[in-house]
Amino acid sequence: MIKHYQKFILGGLALTAVALNAYIAVPNDPVFNNLDTSVSPGTDFFKYANGGWLKRNPIPAAYSSWGIGNVVSEELRDRLKKINEDALAANASKGTITQKIGDFYFTGLDTVNIEKRGIDPLKEQLALIDEANDINGVLNAAAVLTTTGTRNMIGSRVGQDAKNSSKMMLQLGQAGLGLPNRDYYFKTDARTTKIRTDYTTNHLPAMLKISGYNDDQAKAGAESVYKIEKFLADSSRKLEKLRDPYANYHKMTIAQLNALTPDINWNTVFRSLELKSVDSVIVGQPEYYRALNTALKTFPASDWKAYLRWKLISSYASYLNNAADAESFRFSGKVISGRKEQLPRWKRVLDTENGLMGEALGFLFVKEYFPVTAKQRYTDMVEAIRQAYREHIAKLDWMSPETKQKALVKLNGIHPKVGYPDKWKDFSTLLMDRESYAGNVMRARHWAYMVNINKLGKPVDHTEWGMTPQTYNASYSPSNNEITLPAAQFTIPGVKDSEIDDAVAYGYVAASTIGHEITHGFDDEGRLFDAKGNLKTWWTPTDSVKFTKRANMLADQFSSYVVLDSLHVNGKATLGENIADLGGIVLGIDAFKKTKQYKDGKPINGLTPMQRFFLGYAIGWLGQERDEALANQILTDVHAPGFLRVNGPFSDVPEFYEAFHIKKGDRMWLAPDKRVKIW
């Protein structure tokens, strides 16, 4: 260990001299073991913190990216595999969770039956499409397909009214595209052009042929599909424009909606969507639905049949025969994401099962893998972050007392969901058998659809979770003013929770997860919602101007980062996440400063407590992406690439400069007047 310590010092990190007899050596150290000391922390902190791990862990062929989330997912899959194999062998009574899990897993692995059935599981839906000979028939087919999870030009769901969070309402948003988003139809750079060419000349014809078309029909159908999609894309909003909750809120009566789209009878469409008692709807992007109305008149029924056939086959390709599955992966996996090969089938089946009935798996998962002590540790950490936020608000020099008071009310009202639900979903009405994999997926999708639409007109269920306990992610809900922190999100692979020191835990969890999610309640979008989750003005106009000025500085900072080729980060689209990252870090620092470890100041493996905090945060974004996936992320994702979620906000934080002796001339150094401070 002394040998490693000497190498660590020589690697260019300026540390306070530590006597060897005061040196604490920890072998299973998740931050020390990841270091690349050939990189100076002032040059590229992300590579310094994570470079050792990245060199040892190249991206596997079956993945478009590889990082800590993947490693956690691999551990979780192994655990879920055991749960499924036990269910498979249990011969459980019909209707039990064990029977449903076992039967789903059985059909997913039964490739002989899947291949034998071909596209037969879709025959009823294909027949419905074939009968669509006019606008009403097209809309009816699209609506029915929606109920079993085939996404198409109707983008409907039931969710909370942004201006009355106690009410569940029908929402309509832009939809209908086959490429990842509208920019793929119009950007002319070589990378995007190549993807678009493959889509139109190879992928669409191949999938339509698999759906039952002959060569001529498939070629003509592909042209029809692309014409419709490009027409809809032209009236679809850009990524950054979708982040303005006021601009994407248009409440209408059904009469007003019918007037917006005079060729669409929405009362009839809603019946096909199995909706009851719809008196009003929130339309996110009215111009999209005006364009859809025009498209329904402009393009003949034969074009729409090809479009709906394509939507159906693409939605179910992964659950059908090898021809459909392989072509779907070739385009989505290889061309879009840069993956070289598919995951093993059992992993794909588990991932599908997790998406469809993950909470049923989660119930079994947490009993075995998430101890009560861990739940309590992170529940306490939420309160430590909340207290740090209170103190930050009190000290703000740019916010008025009036807005501060309301901000504290909102902060105190944030409800944390930690680890797993107190009330679990009821899967008793979900039917599973051993007949058909695609059939099981279809029933599960319809079950989930009915769960969603049956919320219409009912009180909001604040006990419901939007994530499963085994999900490596977290979230903030503006309408509920709550954060959701699944059990898996606290996991550092290969290290027991009891072995993680507070410095690392406060960086990895308190800053990058808890502080991040709480700050979302006060980012450029979340701040527009009040303590009860309603879209409502509660800031003074002067405070809003001051906030926006600071937020724009952060947007400009991130827009200056070049990621790949000529692709820059979209600072406006990623602004909410970047505000949350910066807020989480400064809150995590102040919460950590109150811990015994920080006050004792004892280094571990030559790293001071504050250095370990920053390294712990960096673990949260440990990973690397293929160029294809990175390009796709820049165009479609509101999150900046992981390495910039470390290097970007750290350059704004004074404690980072102090901990690692960052000086003028270092690449990580920002001039003091350029450093952003919001919360």
Side-chain angles (χ1 to χ4, degrees):
M1 184 58 69
I2 292 176
K3 180 179 178 182
H4 287 294
Y5 175 65
Q6 289 171 336
K7 179 183 177 183
F8 181 56
I9 294 296
L10 293 172
L13 175 61
L15 287 175
T16 304
V18 180
L20 288 179
N21 61 5
Y23 177 75
I24 303 173
V26 176
N28 192 26
D29 184 348
V31 295
F32 180 77
N33 295 338
N34 288 342
L35 295 175
D36 180 354
T37 58
S38 69
V39 180
S40 165
T43 300
D44 186 334
F45 189 81
F46 177 85
K47 285 187 178 178
Y48 162 74
N50 295 323
W53 188 93
L54 297 176
K55 288 177 181 178
R56 296 189 301 269
N57 295 274
I59 303 172
Y63 292 84
S64 58
S65 61
W66 188 253
I68 187 169
N70 301 101
V71 179
V72 171
S73 295
E74 290 299 301
E75 288 189 0
L76 293 172
R77 281 200 192 103
D78 287 339
R79 294 170 179 177
L80 296 177
K81 184 182 182 184
K82 182 180 184 303
I83 290 172
N84 272 266
E85 288 176 342
D86 289 347
L88 198 59
N91 194 28
S93 301
K94 190 168 182 61
T96 62
I97 288 296
T98 300
Q99 173 262 318
K100 293 172 185 182
I101 290 172
D103 282 5
F104 187 92
Y105 195 57
F106 176 88
T107 57
L109 297 181
D110 187 5
T111 55
V112 172
N113 189 45
I114 291 170
E115 201 63 30
K116 179 181 176 181
R117 285 178 172 268
I119 65 167
D120 268 4
L122 307 182
K123 61 184 179 183
E124 290 184 14
Q125 287 79 9
L126 289 168
L128 180 67
I129 294 169
D130 287 340
E131 294 168 3
N133 294 314
D134 55 22
I135 289 176
N136 290 333
V138 168
L139 288 169
N140 176 64
V144 173
L145 292 175
T146 296
T147 68
T148 52
T150 292
R151 295 179 180 178
N152 54 71
M153 69 281 196
I154 300 174
S156 63
R157 68 178 183 89
V158 172
Q160 286 167 272
D161 184 341
K163 293 187 177 181
N164 181 5
S165 64
S166 65
K167 189 172 183 180
M168 300 295 288
M169 286 197 61
L170 181 65
Q171 324 246 348
L172 291 175
Q174 67 185 45
L177 307 186
L179 288 169
N181 75 2
R182 55 98 54 210
D183 288 349
Y184 277 80
Y185 294 85
F186 304 110
K187 284 180 68 69
T188 57
D189 62 282
R191 188 184 300 277
T192 309
T193 300
K194 183 179 179 182
I195 291 171
R196 188 165 56 241
T197 300
D198 189 298
Y199 182 66
T200 54
T201 61
N202 298 319
H203 187 54
L204 286 175
M207 292 297 281
L208 286 169
K209 189 173 180 182
I210 290 167
S211 79
Y213 274 0
N214 62 34
D215 287 342
D216 290 340
Q217 289 174 316
K219 183 180 178 181
E223 293 174 359
S224 299
V225 169
Y226 187 74
K227 284 190 294 185
I228 290 172
E229 289 184 353
K230 188 174 182 181
F231 187 92
L232 296 176
D234 194 45
S235 293
S236 298
R237 295 186 186 180
K238 287 179 173 285
L239 188 63
E240 60 270 24
K241 296 294 185 182
L242 293 171
R243 297 195 63 255
D244 182 341
Y246 282 103
N248 289 277
Y249 182 96
H250 306 274
K251 193 171 185 178
M252 301 179 182
T253 64
I254 303 306
Q256 289 171 323
L257 179 61
N258 282 328
L260 176 73
T261 56
D263 295 282
I264 301 175
N265 184 328
W266 285 100
N267 292 304
T268 302
V269 172
F270 292 153
R271 282 195 294 273
S272 297
L273 286 168
E274 302 185 49
L275 290 161
K276 300 174 182 177
S277 304
V278 180
D279 56 9
S280 57
V281 61
I282 296 170
V283 181
Q285 301 79 35
E287 70 277 17
Y288 168 83
Y289 283 93
R290 278 196 295 268
L292 174 60
N293 187 84
T294 301
L296 286 164
K297 294 186 297 179
T298 303
F299 300 102
S302 58
D303 287 357
W304 284 104
K305 287 181 183 183
Y307 172 85
L308 292 174
R309 182 175 281 260
W310 146 242
K311 288 297 180 185
L312 175 64
I313 195 71
S314 63
S315 293
Y316 279 90
S318 298
Y319 322 115
L320 298 172
N321 59 358
N322 185 64
D325 185 31
E327 174 55 27
S328 178
F329 173 75
R330 186 200 66 78
F331 184 75
S332 299
K334 292 183 176 180
V335 176
I336 295 290
S337 301
R339 292 161 59 190
K340 308 301 181 187
E341 63 185 39
Q342 287 244 51
L343 287 171
R345 185 164 193 91
W346 70 268
K347 291 185 179 182
R348 286 181 276 146
V349 174
L350 282 183
D351 290 350
T352 300
E353 182 184 54
N354 225 352
L356 294 171
M357 37 192 224
E359 203 165 293
L361 290 170
F363 178 74
L364 302 174
F365 168 81
V366 296
K367 289 199 296 186
E368 190 168 353
Y369 299 112
F370 190 65
V372 174
T373 52
K375 183 179 175 74
Q376 188 60 53
R377 181 184 195 181
Y378 298 114
T379 299
D380 293 343
M381 205 173 277
V382 170
E383 296 312 313
I385 290 292
R386 198 195 306 259
Q387 180 56 30
Y389 216 148
R390 292 187 187 108
E391 294 165 6
H392 274 242
I393 291 171
K395 295 175 184 176
L396 289 176
D397 58 5
W398 58 268
M399 182 179 278
S400 68
E402 178 184 348
T403 305
K404 283 183 180 181
Q405 183 179 9
K406 292 176 181 177
L408 288 170
V409 171
K410 180 171 184 177
L411 174 65
N412 292 334
I414 291 176
H415 173 63
K417 294 178 174 178
V418 181
Y420 50 84
D422 295 320
K423 176 186 174 185
W424 296 88
K425 278 189 174 73
D426 178 7
F427 288 87
S428 60
T429 58
L430 173 61
L431 301 178
M432 289 285 145
D433 60 32
R434 298 198 173 192
E435 295 301 314
S436 165
Y437 185 37
N440 278 336
V441 171
M442 195 174 292
R443 279 193 296 273
R445 286 179 171 182
H446 184 255
W447 178 87
Y449 175 82
M450 295 305 296
V451 168
N452 177 253
I453 67 168
N454 283 334
K455 295 175 183 177
L456 189 63
K458 295 180 181 177
V460 176
D461 182 1
H462 291 286
T463 68
E464 184 180 21
W465 276 50
M467 293 183 174
T468 67
Q470 65 274 22
T471 299
Y472 187 76
N473 205 341
S475 68
Y476 170 77
S477 166
S479 293
N480 285 329
N481 196 27
E482 69 180 18
I483 57 173
T484 301
L485 310 168
Q489 181 63 23
F490 308 127
T491 305
I492 295 180
V495 186
K496 293 180 180 178
D497 189 77
S498 58
E499 296 173 348
I500 302 171
D501 57 297
D502 275 345
V504 173
Y506 270 77
Y508 180 64
V509 177
S512 75
T513 301
I514 298 172
H516 174 97
E517 298 305 340
I518 289 179
T519 304
H520 267 314
F522 303 90
D523 68 17
D524 63 310
E525 188 173 357
R527 76 178 189 87
L528 302 176
F529 294 79
D530 66 12
K532 293 183 178 179
N534 294 314
L535 188 58
K536 181 180 179 182
T537 301
W538 57 273
W539 292 57
T540 67
T542 300
D543 289 340
S544 286
V545 170
K546 290 179 178 178
F547 174 92
T548 301
K549 182 178 179 181
R550 290 166 182 261
N552 286 341
M553 280 183 65
L554 194 61
D556 291 342
Q557 176 186 331
F558 274 81
S559 290
S560 70
Y561 297 134
V562 180
V563 177
L564 187 70
D565 305 331
S566 60
L567 289 174
H568 285 247
V569 172
N570 187 332
K572 290 183 178 179
T574 59
L575 182 57
E577 297 300 329
N578 298 333
I579 291 172
D581 284 342
L582 180 56
I585 291 164
V586 297
L587 294 172
I589 287 170
D590 281 4
F592 175 57
K593 286 178 178 178
K594 296 179 181 180
T595 65
K596 183 177 185 300
Q597 183 179 3
Y598 175 80
K599 293 174 182 177
D600 289 347
K602 295 178 181 177
I604 298 175
N605 287 340
L607 298 162
T608 68
M610 190 54 76
Q611 288 169 342
R612 293 181 66 77
F613 169 88
F614 285 107
L615 291 166
Y617 177 91
I619 292 178
W621 309 114
L622 173 68
Q624 51 195 330
E625 294 180 85
R626 299 191 193 280
D627 286 353
E628 295 89 344
L630 194 56
N632 181 56
Q633 180 180 355
I634 294 298
L635 293 179
T636 65
D637 202 335
V638 295
H639 301 81
F643 67 92
L644 287 175
R645 299 187 70 177
V646 175
N647 291 351
F650 279 9
S651 294
D652 294 306
V653 177
E655 286 86 349
F656 171 70
Y657 287 79
E658 297 165 9
F660 292 96
H661 305 283
I662 309 301
K663 59 187 183 301
K664 188 173 183 178
D666 290 337
R667 281 175 55 191
M668 292 289 298
W669 190 86
L670 270 183
D673 65 330
K674 299 292 185 184
R675 297 174 196 170
V676 181
K677 181 180 179 182
I678 301 178
W679 293 106

